[in-house]
Amino acid sequence: MRLPVAELHLHLEGTLEPEFIMDAAARNGVVLPWRSLEELRSKYRFTDLQSFLDLLYVNLEVLHTRDDFEQMTRSYLRRAAAAGVRHAEASTDIQAHTRRGIPIEVVVDGVRAALDTSEDDYGITTKLIISFLRDRSPDEAVDVLTRLLASGARFDGIGLDSAEVGFPPSLFVGLYDLARANGLHVVAHAGEEGPPQYVADSLDLLQVERIDHGNRSLEDAHLVARLVAEQIPLTVCPLSNVRLRVVDDLEQHPIRRMLAHGLNVSVHSDDPAYFGGYIDDNIDAIVDRCGVTNDELARLARNSIDASFLDAEGKARLHSEVDVWSEAHSPAR
Ligand code: ADE
Ligand code: ZN
């Protein structure tokens, strides 16, 4: 039995495997800069966040039809089920599609078609987060959110991602005010490459409920104390952190230190097709390379459940699954 977890930091466009990308390009008549699967595979070496985003945004241009978005989401859910994911709060970078002329409905209807049957099809409950690109204009983000709200599309929250440094949370106060006024949940990437102040500003100015990443919070003892006191969830992505050089190598990853501080951290896969694995691969990596114990794994799983937007009943159901896992993995056995 795999550790039962909630996956809360997952970009659907980051689940496009190279084969899917090449097939969709052929199907949709998209000419990619890469001529073969081998050439595409050779591009998966990153020096920082931007070098990864450059590849991600080219590859996602193969997505054109409602069926493409449905198949992308189904492929993720199928793989996530095998990885132990019992609840997923997946995000889509909608502006990466609207800016190239793909209608909002094509994206949302396709993703929803997979999410709406995912409990029956894959045993995974889901929520949908619409992420906004911080390196595009705040006015565009407000316009897209306004159109989404008017369209009747069903989604549960908003996020903020893409290039971080130089695009502080203060730019997006209006977007987050609009989201909260409409009863949406709010999360944001912060402290991946950006400074600790971006984490504090995401809490104070955007009033986010979770921080995606948050690694650089560790540089500020006052901020750490606040995150612990308020039990703000940090959705940490170890394999992503290594591939994007947020940490030097897995052995140096601060996940155990974060737990020891009492931070509400949990482990997620970010863009699994780009960073060497899904949530099970992230978990195996921190066990093998950081020495994370079974007790710590259970803590990480429980944190992921508590940080989710599930109701009390949904959380209790998943906690009882972690109880079963813990019992089977207790030292006495
Ligand atoms: N978009 C997809 N993955 C991301 C990440 N790790 N940071 C910022 N933007 C992203
Ligand atoms: Zn991310």
Side-chain angles (χ1 to χ4, degrees):
M1 177 193 188
R2 295 256 18 150
L3 178 68
V5 289
E7 173 127 270
L8 309 178
H9 183 165
L10 182 279
H11 304 267
L12 285 167
E13 292 82 1
T15 70
L16 293 180
E17 295 286 348
E19 295 81 359
F20 186 116
I21 292 165
M22 297 306 285
D23 288 351
R27 194 167 62 235
N28 292 328
V30 176
V31 180
L32 288 168
W34 356 106
R35 299 267 137 245
S36 66
L37 199 54
E38 290 66 41
E39 188 184 352
L40 172 57
R41 285 214 169 100
S42 74
K43 305 294 173 193
Y44 286 59
R45 274 188 212 97
F46 312 116
T47 50
D48 56 11
L49 174 58
Q50 189 60 55
S51 63
F52 151 69
L53 293 172
D54 291 343
L55 181 67
L56 177 80
Y57 293 142
V58 169
N59 284 342
L60 61 72
E61 295 206 8
V62 302
L63 297 167
H64 276 224
T65 67
R66 178 188 176 284
D67 190 57
D68 294 335
F69 288 94
E70 178 175 349
Q71 291 317 320
M72 166 180 74
T73 309
R74 286 194 178 282
S75 301
Y76 162 67
L77 290 166
R78 199 175 301 119
R79 178 65 182 79
V85 174
R86 303 287 293 109
H87 174 70
E89 298 185 356
S91 70
T92 179
D93 281 328
I94 197 136
Q95 289 163 289
H97 310 299
T98 53
R99 75 177 172 200
R100 57 191 178 87
I102 308 290
I104 279 175
E105 292 73 22
V106 168
V107 181
V108 176
D109 291 356
V111 170
R112 280 246 68 104
L115 296 184
D116 285 345
T117 60
S118 91
E119 194 166 2
D120 286 345
D121 293 348
Y122 310 104
I124 299 177
T125 54
T126 60
K127 296 203 182 282
L128 177 58
I129 294 174
I130 304 289
S131 266
F132 290 88
L133 304 183
R134 63 202 312 154
D135 49 355
R136 294 183 68 82
S137 87
D139 285 349
E140 180 186 292
V142 169
D143 175 60
V144 171
L145 179 56
T146 303
R147 287 195 284 129
L148 269 163
L149 290 166
S151 76
R154 281 175 297 121
F155 59 105
D156 302 281
I158 69 158
L160 193 60
D161 64 3
S162 201
E164 187 181 1
V165 175
F167 304 97
S170 56
L171 295 171
F172 295 94
V173 169
L175 176 73
Y176 276 70
D177 284 349
L178 178 63
R180 283 186 282 95
N182 281 278
L184 293 167
H185 289 290
V186 288
V187 303
H189 284 53
E192 181 183 23
E193 283 192 343
Q197 190 63 44
Y198 282 20
V199 175
D201 286 351
S202 300
L203 296 171
D204 294 331
L205 304 180
L206 308 183
Q207 298 176 41
V208 298
E209 297 160 81
R210 298 194 297 247
I211 296 285
D212 289 322
H213 295 294
N215 298 52
R216 289 196 58 195
S217 306
L218 293 173
E219 297 169 22
D220 179 339
H222 289 294
L223 178 59
V224 169
R226 175 185 182 183
L227 294 171
V228 171
E230 297 179 20
Q231 282 298 288
I232 305 293
L234 307 181
T235 62
V236 175
C237 306
L239 291 175
S240 164
N241 291 160
V242 175
R243 296 296 277 269
L244 300 188
R245 312 270 180 94
V246 172
V247 300
D248 289 340
D249 54 47
L250 263 175
E251 283 77 6
Q252 317 281 321
H253 196 280
I255 190 72
R256 294 193 77 199
R257 196 150 47 93
M258 291 169 131
L259 282 167
H261 279 303
L263 286 163
N264 183 351
V265 285
S266 50
V267 166
H268 309 278
S269 66
D270 206 7
D271 302 277
Y274 288 84
F275 300 147
Y278 288 76
I279 208 162
D280 49 346
D281 302 304
N282 275 271
I283 290 168
D284 291 348
I286 58 171
V287 169
D288 293 347
R289 310 277 294 280
C290 307
V292 168
T293 66
N294 284 341
D295 277 356
E296 288 169 331
L297 287 184
R299 176 82 264 143
L300 290 168
R302 292 189 191 286
N303 287 349
S304 76
I305 296 162
D306 291 335
S308 76
F309 300 136
L310 280 167
D311 61 17
E313 194 187 322
K315 289 182 182 179
R317 187 173 43 81
L318 291 194
H319 275 299
S320 61
E321 294 190 22
V322 179
D323 291 342
V324 173
W325 183 92
S326 288
E327 179 64 22
H329 293 80
S330 67
R333 296 189 174 250

